[in-house]
Every structure is written in C-alpha cells, then in structure tokens.
Amino acid sequence: MSQLEAALRWSYDRLGGARTQYHIATRAYLGKRYMETDDVSMPSTPVNTFGMTVDAMCRYLSSNNPRAMVTARFHEFDSEAMKFELALNELSSEMELGRVFSMWAKCAFFGLGVLKAGINRAGSTMIEGDTFYVDEPYARNISMDHFVYDMTARTLEDAEYMSDSYRVSYEQVMDAELFDDSLKRELSPDDPSWTGKDGEDEAGAISLGSGPKPEQLTKTIDVRDVWLPREKLLLTVPVSGTFKCLRAVRWDGPQHGPYHLLYFERAPDNSYPVCPATHMIDLHMQLNRQWVKSARQAEAQKQVGLYQGSAAAEAERIRTAQDLEWLQANNPDGSRIVNIGGVDPNGFAMFERALQLFKWQVGNLDSFAGLQAQSGTLGQARMLAAAASRLLEGYQQAFM
C-alpha cells in the first residue's frame, strides 16, 4: 500500500500542469463577472468567444437526454421490447444523462473528460424472509482536481492505476457495512476544503471567493477510489490520515473499469491528450485585450471647445446656444470644437482581425453557433457549413 500511495502522490504532482490549464480554461469560460469575483488579476473578457464556442460545441455533442430504441427479433416480443425501451428512457431522464454528458464534453474541452459509472446499492427489501438488495446505476463527472492516473504509462490504456477522490457523509461511512469496521474507528471528519494537495485552489473554489472558512451542515470525509486494472480490483482508501484499504472489491465490470475517458486529440509519445482549449485561450485573451484597449480609448475620447481670448463672449454664447439656433459672430474663427483621443483605427482593425482568426481556428464559429453566415449565396453557405461540420464530426466521433 505504501508503494501505491507514493505512486499516486507522484502522478498527482506530475498532473499539476494539466490542473493549471484546466483552471485557466474554467476561468476563461466563466469570465470575470462570474460571482462578481474581486480578483483584480483576472483579466476582463467582455467578448467571450471561448465560452460561446464551448457552449455551441457542447450543444452539438449533447443537448438532451439520450433516447433508446429497442426492437425485438420476433414480433411476439414487441410488447416486451417497448416496455424495455420505456424503462431505459425513463432511467435516462432520472439520471439526467443529458446534463452529465454535456459536462463530460465541456471538461474534455478544458482538459480530460472523466465520467465515472457504476451501480450503487440503493436499499434492500425483505421477501419471504430473504433480503434482496436494490441497486441503481449512476454516472457522474470527475473534475481534473480529483482525478489521478498513472503518469508513467505511455498511453492512457496502459495506465496501471486510475483514481478519483470524492466527499461523502461521515455518518454514512461509519454506518456502511461495506467498509472495514476496525479501520473505520481510525477515521475522523475532514474540514471542508477546496484546496488541493499542491496548495492551489481547486476550480470549485472560484464561486466561493475570499472570506471565512466555509461551514457545512453535516460532517464529511474525503475518500478515494483506486482502480487497478491488472489485479481487477477497486480499492477505497481515505484521502487524509493513514493510507489503508477500507474496502477491496473484485471488479467484474467493463475492461476499462469504472472510468470513461473523453478526449479529442492524442499527443504523440504522451499519455495526456491535447485539449481544444490549449489552442483557443491565447487568441481569445489577445482579442479581448485589444477590445478592452479600444474601449478605454473610446471612453477617454473628448470633444472640447477652444476659443481665443478676444472671442470669450462669443464662445460663451455658442456654449449656451440651443440646437439650430442662429448666432451673430464677429469672429467665427476665434472659437472651434476639437476632438481629443478616440479609438485607434489600427488597434480596432487588430481586434477585428483577431476575431476573424479565432472564428477560423475553431472551425467557423458563425456557422455552427447559428450566427449569420459569412457568405453571399446559399451554395457558399452550405460549403461553409459542411467545412465546419467536419471538425464537429471529429469531436462527435470521439464523444460517441
């Protein structure tokens, strides 16, 4: 167990860059005004092209709960197939799979999309003196802040372990029959924290802002599941305190374990994939800096009146005159209106060029986001839509 603990800690440290990229992408998506953060270091992004792109692509990949269609090979089983189809669709709605899949895709744009699926024991019932357990499936998203995999592996498929941490009720852990009673006595509640082991705030801390320590109504404890594919074991250990196995379960599910990984591009000779946000963030920030600069120039622009000393009386009459009023002026050239400052045309042209480059880089944002087409004819519009769909089709193939 000590060797496994050291391996997990080492891989967690090596994933620090991936977590940083995940945090940067999350902040760029949310924008500075999310929860009215007081972080002055966070840049202003009034033109949130990155957020618009991610939302449009995620709606394309998963917008509603998936629906099943069940057919029977023989007609006499058609009624049973229909019942099974209704049950599957009802389960999809109860599990809110549309929301789960949409967040799964969004996390894949920011880093590595991790979906954990399995079966929970929901309760038990007595039938003629025998106890029958009622199980129900679950699917939940795992943040990059809470996921660790074997970073020594050359590919994700070769990883010798994968793990995620989660927060559960301390009372439920102590009452659960699944955990070792002798080890449960050594457990104690954890203080609620949104800071990782590396001392950096997690993405979930963005909405908390700065202030006093958060309070919780119930005591909680952080535990970690560790999937060992070679041994086909699923271990549960406490995050803090002694690294001891609370539960070991023989895995008899899918070969890839409980974790479903979503990524859109592989990196040559590296296990961690390439996320689309890596290519979008820099240009997104650049065009927003240029827009903010042009906006400051527009706000600083002034229109002032200048007059010669001998024309002071005429200048005052001009200042207080009504619109379209005619005035007698003996020295019309003694006063005039001048513009000071204003938007630099070259700077604004740079913003427009950066915006067009961003749209081109993400595969024609105007087309797949439902904005007006950049074409003069119907044929050109169809060609642009087809070109944009090729990128989205690649994402959809990875998603499916």
Side-chain angles (χ1 to χ4, degrees), residues 357-377:
L357 279 174
F358 183 90
K359 293 178 180 180
W360 168 80
Q361 187 180 54
V362 300
N364 195 354
L365 176 62
D366 289 332
S367 179
F368 66 77
L371 307 177
Q372 64 181 13
Q374 300 290 322
S375 59
T377 65

Side-chain angles (χ1 to χ4, degrees), residues 144-180:
M144 276 302 301
D145 286 317
H146 306 146
F147 183 71
V148 181
Y149 74 90
D150 180 14
M151 284 293 289
T152 64
R154 295 186 181 275
T155 65
L156 287 169
E157 292 79 9
D158 296 333
E160 293 188 356
Y161 56 84
M162 292 185 181
S163 174
D164 76 289
S165 60
Y166 51 95
R167 187 165 296 165
V168 293
S169 168
Y170 176 75
E171 183 179 353
Q172 289 180 353
V173 172
M174 300 306 291
D175 294 340
E177 300 176 358
L178 302 174
F179 299 137
D180 190 311

Side-chain angles (χ1 to χ4, degrees), residues 150 266 293 340 350 391:
D150 180 14
R266 288 181 179 267
K293 183 176 180 179
I340 300 176
M350 178 64 184
L391 176 66

Side-chain angles (χ1 to χ4, degrees), residues 30-94:
L30 296 176
K32 187 174 183 178
R33 294 302 177 186
Y34 176 74
M35 300 297 291
E36 292 293 330
T37 176
D38 55 0
D39 185 1
V40 296
S41 64
M42 190 172 179
S44 177
T45 54
V47 187
N48 199 338
T49 49
F50 177 68
M52 180 184 297
T53 302
V54 172
D55 284 341
M57 289 185 172
C58 287
R59 282 194 296 268
Y60 181 86
L61 296 176
S62 176
S63 57
N64 296 304
N65 292 323
R67 309 291 292 178
M69 184 177 67
V70 181
T71 59
R73 179 176 298 180
F74 303 103
H75 291 299
E76 55 264 31
F77 299 118
D78 284 346
S79 61
E80 299 301 322
M82 183 176 296
K83 292 178 183 178
F84 190 40
E85 178 179 320
L86 292 173
L88 285 176
N89 290 331
E90 179 64 23
L91 183 61
S92 173
S93 299
E94 291 179 357

